[in-house]
Amino acid sequence: REAMEKSLDFGDWIIFGRREGKTALVSMRDIGADVILNDLGFMRGYAAFDVASAREEVVFHLHDHLKRLRSSVQALGLSQPEAIQFSNAAAFEQQLKRLLARNSFKSSLAWFYVLAGPSSNGFTPLGEARLLVRVSEFDESSLCRPEGIAVKVVNAKRQMPDIKCVADYAFAEKELAYCRYCRSEYDEILYTEDSEVLELSRRNIFMVKDGTIVTPKDNVLAGVTRGIVINIARELDLPLEERKINIWKPERAEELFATSTASGVTYIRKLDGVREMDDDGQCFEFGPVTQKIQQQFLKYRNEFFQGIQQKQLPILFPP
């Protein structure tokens, strides 16, 4: 209990449960740790999740994240929690605003977890899935950092690449832990299969070759930031293709960059693990296309929050 209360200093865990027949915010202090420890989401990673960034009480592209969360829940065969059903979107957003206000962070990340529910045998869920939401403080200076990231290529892929499942990220954590043990300074791994480039463990990948932006189309997560960047490229009349990328192609690219909720648009400065490359890997420049995309993304993100506050929609805001 002491550890649980201490963790609340960094964000308040809330379960959207049912109290007296109605969906309600319930604090972790009220329900106890045993509710979570007996859940298959905790015991076996049988859970869907998503994460969105927020500024004060406004969540960036909330409905896109909830749409993807519902898809992940459905793909895992879990029951859809009442709170995130499409018909309850407005009520959920109001509850989420209360949670964001309670934490009072200038910028934050909202983590959504749909856990499979309790189990008596540690394998079969007994009841309905439950939704947990956590808010943690977020440093916006981590978005689009100019120093770039180093990436290691691995021959593997996530089991369910089109959704976000808690258990699906263990392989990447193991690989990066081994890199740290070997004192190899990698920030990410790049999944590949049969010489086909897929995605990074927490980001989508883009390649710039001869002025054309290319990103994998199949067997990757439909990232919210990825979709925004694709729209930005089209608004800027930059050539863009969604197609297969062979692993032997990146070393001939001018630029590589990656996208995610927590890092925005980040350039890849080093790619290691491709046989045709030098022993020290291939290094890439923070090129003009990546810089332009990065600047436009930050501009759009600011316009989004300003537009919501002023009841005006930025140009790329979905209908």
Side-chain angles (χ1 to χ4, degrees), residues 15-39:
I15 181 170
F16 283 86
R18 294 186 65 82
R19 176 179 287 174
E20 298 177 355
K22 298 180 180 180
T23 300
L25 286 170
V26 184
S27 171
M28 283 288 286
R29 286 193 178 98
D30 298 331
I31 63 174
D34 59 310
V35 174
I36 305 303
L37 296 178
N38 190 38
D39 196 293

Side-chain angles (χ1 to χ4, degrees), residues 12 19 52 80 101 120 124 163 192 200 226 245-247 275:
D12 200 357
R19 176 179 287 174
Q80 292 283 353
S120 59
T124 307
I163 68 171
T192 64
L200 277 64
R226 173 185 182 272
I245 301 177
N246 190 285
I247 188 58
R275 287 176 297 171

Side-chain angles (χ1 to χ4, degrees), residues 59 62 92-100 110 112 133:
V59 181
L62 173 62
F92 177 83
E93 188 168 1
Q94 290 304 312
Q95 293 274 43
L96 185 57
K97 285 183 177 181
R98 288 177 54 196
L99 178 57
L100 291 166
F112 311 114
V133 181

Side-chain angles (χ1 to χ4, degrees), residues 45-79:
Y46 188 19
F49 80 100
D50 218 295
V51 57
S53 63
R55 188 177 292 174
E56 295 180 344
E57 298 175 23
V58 178
V59 181
F60 189 57
H61 280 253
L62 173 62
H63 297 290
D64 288 332
H65 285 282
L66 291 182
K67 179 180 178 181
R68 187 172 63 185
L69 179 61
R70 288 191 289 266
S71 296
S72 297
V73 169
Q74 182 177 5
L76 287 173
L78 300 174
S79 59

Side-chain angles (χ1 to χ4, degrees), residues 143-298:
L143 290 169
C144 306
R145 285 186 169 175
E147 63 267 25
I149 58 174
V151 177
K152 177 186 177 183
V153 177
V154 297
N155 183 28
K157 73 172 184 178
R158 293 192 298 117
Q159 289 183 324
M160 295 168 281
D162 55 337
I163 68 171
K164 293 179 78 71
C165 171
V166 170
D168 224 358
Y169 289 79
F171 176 84
E173 295 294 346
K174 181 207 69 166
E175 287 291 314
L176 291 172
Y178 182 73
C179 289
R180 291 191 294 270
Y181 174 78
C182 296
R183 300 186 183 278
S184 301
E185 297 181 357
Y186 294 109
D187 305 287
E188 271 275 26
I189 63 171
L190 171 62
Y191 289 119
T192 64
E193 184 181 45
D194 298 328
S195 300
E196 181 183 349
V197 173
L198 300 175
E199 59 187 353
L200 277 64
S201 60
R202 294 169 293 160
R203 299 171 170 94
N204 293 108
I205 189 170
F206 291 77
M207 176 180 79
V208 181
K209 174 63 177 174
D210 297 328
T212 297
I213 303 171
V214 185
T215 188
K217 182 179 181 180
D218 301 317
N219 295 315
V220 299
L221 183 71
V224 173
T225 308
R226 173 185 182 272
I228 293 171
V229 164
I230 288 173
N231 285 339
I232 287 174
R234 289 170 177 162
E235 290 287 335
L236 295 175
D237 291 326
L238 296 174
L240 183 140
E241 299 175 0
E242 294 180 76
R243 60 170 173 80
K244 288 185 178 181
I245 301 177
N246 190 285
I247 188 58
W248 310 121
K249 300 294 184 181
E251 75 272 19
R252 292 188 285 274
E254 291 100 29
E255 305 172 39
L256 290 178
F257 66 89
T259 60
S260 74
T261 292
S263 62
V265 179
T266 306
Y267 103 95
I268 297 173
R269 58 180 170 80
K270 182 180 179 181
L271 187 65
D272 200 1
V274 180
R275 287 176 297 171
E276 290 187 358
M277 294 182 179
D278 297 333
D279 292 339
D280 294 331
Q282 179 73 21
C283 295
F284 297 88
E285 297 294 330
F286 185 25
V289 175
T290 303
Q291 292 182 45
K292 182 179 292 187
I293 291 290
Q294 191 179 88
Q295 292 166 3
Q296 289 298 315
F297 172 77
L298 290 174

